[in-house]
Amino acid sequence: MSTVFLEIARVHWARYPAMEPQDFAKLAYQSTFGPAHMVQSPDKVLAALLEEHKKAGTEPIPPEPIGNGLCRLHITRALSALWELPLIGRMFTQTMGAAEGTAAELSETLEQLAALPVPGLEGYLTAWRREGCPPVHHSEAFRRAYRPHYRVLRQDYARFLPALVPIDRLSREHYTAYLRLPRPGDQLPGERASAYLRRHGVRPFLVAADGRCGSGKTGFSSIVERLIPGRKRTVHMDDFYLPWEKRALDWMETPAGNMNLERLRREILLPVRSGKPMAYLPVLSGAPVPDEYGNPIEIDPDDVELILVEGTYSQHPSLAGYYDYKIFLTCEREEQTRRLQAREGDYYPTFDRVWRTLEERYFAACGTEKAADLVVDTTGFFDGT
């Protein structure tokens, strides 16, 4: 039996020595079921967050892992009520809906807790089990000592919060600009809606997520799609590899020498600026060749508010000026190696020797990390603990 939760409980006990048996039970319950018992409408979730924000302390507190990829995100006045709280509300609602814990998992977690020498813990857990382990509040002692204001969230959601806030702001600004437009009577006869919006300075906004392999770029793009309101499309750099026969002889010595950056600029970035529909062919899996027999990926600017370009080389200097926001993801070398070994399996030695080396040359030559608007270190973001 894994003792991961036992170590988490010990960390919390050291941080909160006033914990009583019911606080340990609450920690175990949240680790297993997340916030599933707090089913609320989005409006009630946001109203409760705004109320807690008023009562909370001023000092920021980092997310606290509680196991199973979950954490407690503390609500403090260091958070912006305007931008961060609605986003946290959506994170909370999604975490509620995804809870999959079982009674058997809770039982195993409680067996780990029994190893802690907490006065009265064994008797409390015995009685709590007899009641069927219902949801439990923090003890009065814990409340008096620590004045807890937090939400249980997916750990990757909480830790990506600083990267999601600017994108959420762009989304809101886009919607506000749309509401301020003159009404359709101002539209010229035969004018496309996208041209009309562009004429008034409203277009889909562009975000790029570049960074080291294994740092979580693809996962981040899926989180953006789930949590940022409005209509979104993700463009993957994997669909813009340069076919082998079109690469220069010294392509490995050229930053992004394996990428068709001009095609990305021509088929995605320039059309966004001009309000024209976009269409591009995805690359066949396992070979840098466009799938000419497949269906092209089409994006109509009338149907999208955010385009996220995800992948290494997306912020190459020849492209960087087209984006409204640039995020660079990184992680510690040891953590990166562990992730890549798990992802690539037997191919890892080759991947490390060739592709990770080429990436690092690109970052060094182009200053990608320093040129980004925000750098996010994802070390520890995806740990199950």
Side-chain angles (χ1 to χ4, degrees), residues 252-282:
M252 295 186 72
E253 307 303 320
T254 304
N258 59 323
M259 306 302 296
N260 196 335
L261 302 183
E262 174 55 30
R263 186 164 76 90
L264 175 66
R265 189 181 75 88
R266 182 179 67 252
E267 296 180 358
I268 301 295
L269 304 181
L270 283 176
V272 170
R273 295 287 181 173
S274 60
K276 296 178 180 178
M278 291 151 269
Y280 65 97
L281 290 172

Side-chain angles (χ1 to χ4, degrees), residues 129-162:
R129 284 177 186 260
R130 194 178 299 124
E131 295 171 3
C133 298
V136 60
H137 295 295
H138 277 298
S139 67
E140 191 58 36
F142 190 96
R143 290 175 178 274
R144 284 197 307 268
Y146 310 116
R147 300 178 62 232
H149 297 284
Y150 64 78
R151 287 294 181 273
V152 173
L153 304 177
R154 275 181 43 166
Q155 187 166 289
D156 54 352
Y157 285 3
R159 288 183 165 169
F160 269 130
L161 180 62

Side-chain angles (χ1 to χ4, degrees), residues 46 80-90 164-180 205 227-230 305-306:
L46 181 56
S80 161
L82 177 62
W83 298 115
E84 290 166 295
L85 293 189
L87 180 56
I88 291 170
R90 294 195 294 276
L164 292 166
V165 166
I167 302 176
D168 193 45
R169 182 179 293 117
L170 284 171
S171 175
R172 289 170 179 269
E173 289 174 353
H174 183 284
Y175 184 61
T176 300
Y178 168 76
L179 292 178
R180 289 174 178 169
F205 57 93
L227 292 176
I228 302 301
E305 296 158 15
L306 160 67

